[in-house]
Amino acid sequence: MKIVSKAKVWIAIPLCIIVIGLIFGIINNGFNLGIDFKGGTLIHLNIGQPYDVGDIRSILNQHGLDEAVVSGAGDGNTEVLIRMPNIPDEDRVSSAVIDDISKQFQLAEKDILSVEKVGSVMSKELTQNALLAVVLSCGFMLVYIWIRFEFKSGVAAIIALVHDVLIIAAFLLIFRIQINSTFIAAVLTIIGYSINNTIVIFDRIRENTKKLRKCTIQELTDKSIKQSVVRSINTSLTTLIVIVVLYILGVESIKEFALPIIVGIIAGTYSSLLIAGPIWAIWTNRSRTKKLAPQRK
């Protein structure tokens, strides 16, 4: 199977997904931002006994808080964490929610562990820090790959990383999944995971450059990728199984972290095998053609 010659196809597939995500984003006015980015109220209660999340949700629905996020906290599934979005008369509504939950589960004042408001200033700072973290991590990786391999490899790797982030973003836009601070941790995890797979590909290309001197750049890249396919897929599949199980069995906060990683692992494996290598091969081949052009005249 030829890989580099079909680079346009490999790039077109994720590009279509990204465009679809962009369309959904325009229709739905951007991402479905959670309390960490949009601001709101964070309520932490000790129920004191195992509880049904549905009971908590029904109380929230009575107060028109359909978008509120309920997740378990602490040990033994006895504590609950409620993330309420910014709403009019927020203090009154949060107090009413706490009162109704306290009546249903017979909570004392000591069981109300914390009630924190996340303001717009804090959420704006978190957004800026998140973007800065992603940009800095990509920048440092570019320098690292540039030193270890070459500048073209670094740029190809960063393009693959940008692909991974955009695919995750498109997935969140299409399915309207709420984004909180755990999403940033997931993105940074995927960046590190994906770059590892990409480095394996470039490492194989470097080794084969010395062994397969008579091969063209396209043939060299195709052979290097094929030699790395089994290792990359096995590694990704092993990790994916663990994360999927974590998503199925985990509490809400764990699912918020696991879901972007599931999408990111698939996107990262795809970009490492079918985007980073072909982009490097096309760029390198064109550079060599330009150098040889004057000699042919």
Side-chain angles (χ1 to χ4, degrees):
M1 178 183 176
K2 294 182 179 180
I3 298 173
V4 176
S5 60
K6 296 182 179 180
K8 290 182 180 179
V9 176
W10 310 134
I11 294 172
I13 293 172
L15 195 59
C16 290
I17 297 173
I18 292 167
V19 170
I20 292 170
L22 184 61
I23 293 170
F24 271 83
I26 293 171
I27 294 172
N28 296 316
N29 297 318
F31 290 101
N32 180 17
L33 299 176
I35 180 176
D36 294 338
F37 291 100
K38 202 162 54 175
T41 302
L42 189 64
I43 302 172
H44 188 186
L45 304 174
N46 179 24
I47 304 300
Q49 58 185 326
Y51 60 90
D52 186 354
V53 173
D55 295 336
I56 304 292
R57 290 192 185 279
S58 63
I59 294 174
L60 294 170
N61 292 338
Q62 290 171 13
H63 293 277
L65 298 170
D66 298 341
E67 294 184 2
V69 177
V70 181
S71 57
D75 298 325
N77 193 31
T78 59
E79 297 180 12
V80 63
L81 205 59
I82 303 170
R83 293 185 175 96
M84 287 175 43
N86 263 328
I87 55 172
D89 204 6
E90 191 173 336
D91 292 336
R92 183 190 63 79
V93 174
S94 61
S95 297
V97 167
I98 293 172
D99 288 343
D100 287 350
I101 294 175
S102 298
K103 288 177 183 177
Q104 180 158 340
F105 294 97
Q106 299 180 346
L107 304 185
E109 188 173 344
K110 64 181 177 62
D111 295 320
I112 304 172
L113 302 180
S114 66
V115 180
E116 301 175 3
K117 293 192 69 174
V118 180
S120 57
V121 174
M122 182 179 176
S123 59
K124 184 178 179 181
E125 184 180 348
L126 178 61
T127 304
Q128 292 173 345
N129 289 341
L131 292 173
L132 182 62
V134 173
V135 171
L136 285 177
S137 60
C138 288
F140 283 125
M141 287 179 185
L142 173 61
V143 173
Y144 169 74
I145 297 174
W146 184 1
I147 294 171
R148 181 169 176 178
F149 299 100
E150 58 178 341
F151 181 72
K152 293 172 190 174
S153 301
V155 174
I158 295 303
I159 291 173
L161 289 180
V162 171
H163 158 274
D164 301 342
V165 174
L166 290 178
I167 289 294
I168 295 173
F171 179 82
L172 296 174
L173 286 169
I174 293 170
F175 294 100
R176 295 295 294 163
I177 297 170
Q178 195 173 79
I179 300 175
N180 281 302
S181 55
T182 50
F183 167 72
I184 304 304
V187 168
L188 293 175
T189 302
I190 286 302
I191 286 175
Y193 184 89
S194 178
I195 202 69
N196 180 61
N197 265 347
T198 305
I199 287 174
V200 169
I201 301 295
F202 286 132
D203 219 12
R204 181 67 65 178
I205 290 173
R206 183 172 60 182
E207 289 175 5
N208 286 338
T209 301
K210 300 173 183 178
K211 298 177 183 177
L212 309 173
R213 295 183 180 276
K214 294 182 179 180
C215 289
T216 63
I217 294 296
Q218 181 173 320
E219 292 171 341
L220 174 69
T221 307
D222 281 349
K223 287 183 180 181
S224 300
I225 292 173
K226 288 173 185 177
Q227 290 170 359
S228 307
V229 164
V230 175
R231 177 198 179 281
S232 295
I233 291 179
N234 284 344
T235 302
S236 298
L237 193 59
T238 304
T239 310
L240 196 60
I241 291 171
V242 175
I243 300 298
V244 168
V245 171
L246 192 64
Y247 177 79
I248 294 172
L249 301 179
V251 296
E252 195 70 29
S253 56
I254 296 296
K255 290 182 178 182
E256 288 179 5
F257 178 74
L259 186 58
I261 288 186
I262 292 171
V263 178
I265 287 173
I266 297 170
T269 305
Y270 182 95
S271 65
S272 296
L273 295 173
L274 301 176
I275 291 183
I279 286 176
W280 173 86
I282 293 169
W283 190 1
T284 302
N285 195 44
R286 286 179 180 176
S287 299
R288 292 190 178 184
T289 302
K290 287 180 180 179
K291 287 180 181 180
L292 291 172
Q295 299 174 8
R296 293 175 181 173
K297 293 181 180 179

